[in-house]
C-alpha cells in the first residue's frame, strides 16, 4: 500500500475518467480499507458498509470526470462521495444512531489504531501518525462545542440536523460552526 501522503489522487481520478481500470484498482488498494472504516463507523453494520464502499467505487468510476480540482482535493471528493452514500444508506435503513451526551472522541488515537491494522510497514504508520497528530493539534484550537460538532459530523457520521438536536442548538448555528471550523482546520494544516 502506498502512503496517502505521496499518492496522486487527482492523477488517478483523471485516469479513471479516461477509462483506465488499473487506476481504479490503484485507488481501491489505496483507500478501500480506510473508506470501509469510515462507513462502518457511520452504519455500525459491516456487511452494509462493504456494500456502500463497493457502490462508492462504482460511483467514483462513473463520475470521475465530474471531479473539479478547483472545488477541493480529490481525496476529499472521494470521501465526501462515500460518506454521502453511507448517510443515505443510514437514512434508508431507518436506523437511529444514539449518541452519548458527554461524547468527545480522541480522533488521533482511534484513527492511528485503525491505521495500525492496515499499515504494511512502520514508515506508513509513522506518516499516518504524524498527519493525525497534526490534525489533533489543530482540533485543539477549536472551541469545545465547535470541535464536538466537527467530530460528530465527520467521525460519527451525524447529519447537521442530528447534531443540532443532540447539542440543543439551532441548525443554522451548527452549520455555521462546522463551516468555520473546517476553514480553520484547513488553514491550520497548511
Amino acid at each position: 500500500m502506498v502512503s496517502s501522503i505521496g499518492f496522486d489522487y487527482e492523477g488517478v481520478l483523471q485516469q479513471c475518467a479516461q477509462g483506465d481500470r488499473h487506476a481504479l484498482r490503484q485507488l481501491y488498494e489505496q483507500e478501500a480499507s480506510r473508506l470501509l472504516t469510515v462507513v462502518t463507523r457511520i452504519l455500525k453494520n459491516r456487511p452494509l458498509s462493504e456494500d456502500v464502499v463497493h457502490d462508492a467505487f462504482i460511483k467514483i468510476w462513473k463520475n470521475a470526470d465530474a471531479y473539479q480540482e478547483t472545488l477541493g482535493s480529490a481525496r476529499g471528493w472521494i470521501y465526501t462521495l462515500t460518506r454521502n452514500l453511507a448517510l443515505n444508506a443510514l437514512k434508508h435503513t431507518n436506523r437511529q444512531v444514539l449518541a452519548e451526551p458527554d461524547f468527545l472522541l480522541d480522533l488521533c488515537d482511534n484513527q492511528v489504531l485503525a491505521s495500525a491494522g492496515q499499515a504494511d510497514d512502520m514508515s506508513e504508520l509513522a506518516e499516518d501518525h504524524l498527519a493525525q497528530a497534526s490534525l489533533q493539534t489543530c482540533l485543539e484550537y477549536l472551541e469545545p462545542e465547535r470541535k464536538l460538532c466537527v467530530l460528530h459530523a465527520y467521525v460519527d457520521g451525524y447529519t447537521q440536523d442530528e447534531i443540532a438536536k443532540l447539542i440543543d442548538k439551532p441548525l443554522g448555528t451548527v452549520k455555521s460552526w462546522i463551516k468555520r471550523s473546517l476553514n480553520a482546520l484547513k488553514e491550520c494544516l497548511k
Side-chain angles (χ1 to χ4, degrees):
M1 185 185 311
V2 177
S3 166
S4 60
I5 293 173
F7 192 80
D8 181 12
Y9 292 93
E10 288 79 10
V12 169
L13 280 181
Q14 288 173 357
Q15 292 170 346
C16 286
Q18 296 168 0
D20 184 347
R21 291 179 185 264
H22 178 69
L24 183 65
R25 182 172 198 70
Q26 284 180 305
L27 183 60
Y28 181 85
E29 290 170 359
Q30 175 67 28
E31 290 298 326
S33 60
R34 290 182 182 113
L35 288 171
L36 183 58
T37 300
V38 170
V39 173
T40 302
R41 283 184 185 147
I42 294 169
L43 298 177
K44 314 244 187 293
N45 177 326
R46 177 72 184 224
L48 181 58
S49 298
E50 290 171 355
D51 289 344
V52 168
V53 171
H54 177 265
D55 292 347
F57 276 97
I58 291 171
K59 194 166 184 174
I60 290 166
W61 174 253
K62 290 180 177 180
N63 297 302
D65 60 338
Y67 165 68
Q68 296 177 23
E69 192 172 340
T70 57
L71 298 178
S73 74
R75 189 173 191 217
W77 181 80
I78 291 163
Y79 275 78
T80 299
L81 180 148
T82 305
R83 180 178 173 274
N84 288 342
L85 286 176
L87 291 173
N88 286 341
L90 183 64
K91 188 185 321 179
H92 293 299
T93 60
N94 293 322
R95 291 183 60 226
Q96 286 293 328
V97 177
L98 302 176
E100 300 169 23
D102 59 344
F103 169 79
L104 190 57
L105 180 65
D106 183 356
L107 179 65
C108 181
D109 288 344
N110 284 339
Q111 287 194 348
V112 169
L113 288 175
S115 298
Q118 302 163 3
D120 287 342
D121 58 28
M122 290 307 291
S123 63
E124 181 180 333
L125 182 58
E127 288 174 0
D128 283 349
H129 181 68
L130 181 60
Q132 294 305 320
S134 296
L135 179 58
Q136 182 64 33
T137 300
C138 291
L139 279 167
E140 294 305 319
Y141 288 112
L142 298 177
E143 293 177 22
E145 275 189 313
R146 294 174 187 212
K147 176 182 174 181
L148 186 60
C149 287
V150 169
L151 293 175
H152 276 317
Y154 291 94
V155 176
D156 294 335
Y158 291 123
T159 65
Q160 292 175 340
D161 189 49
E162 290 170 329
I163 295 168
K165 290 175 186 167
L166 182 68
I167 66 171
D168 195 30
K169 296 288 182 190
L171 179 59
T173 300
V174 169
K175 287 181 177 184
S176 176
W177 283 358
I178 291 173
K179 183 177 180 179
R180 289 180 185 150
S181 296
L182 291 177
N183 287 335
L185 289 173
K186 185 177 177 181
E187 285 300 312
C188 179
L189 289 170
K190 282 186 180 179

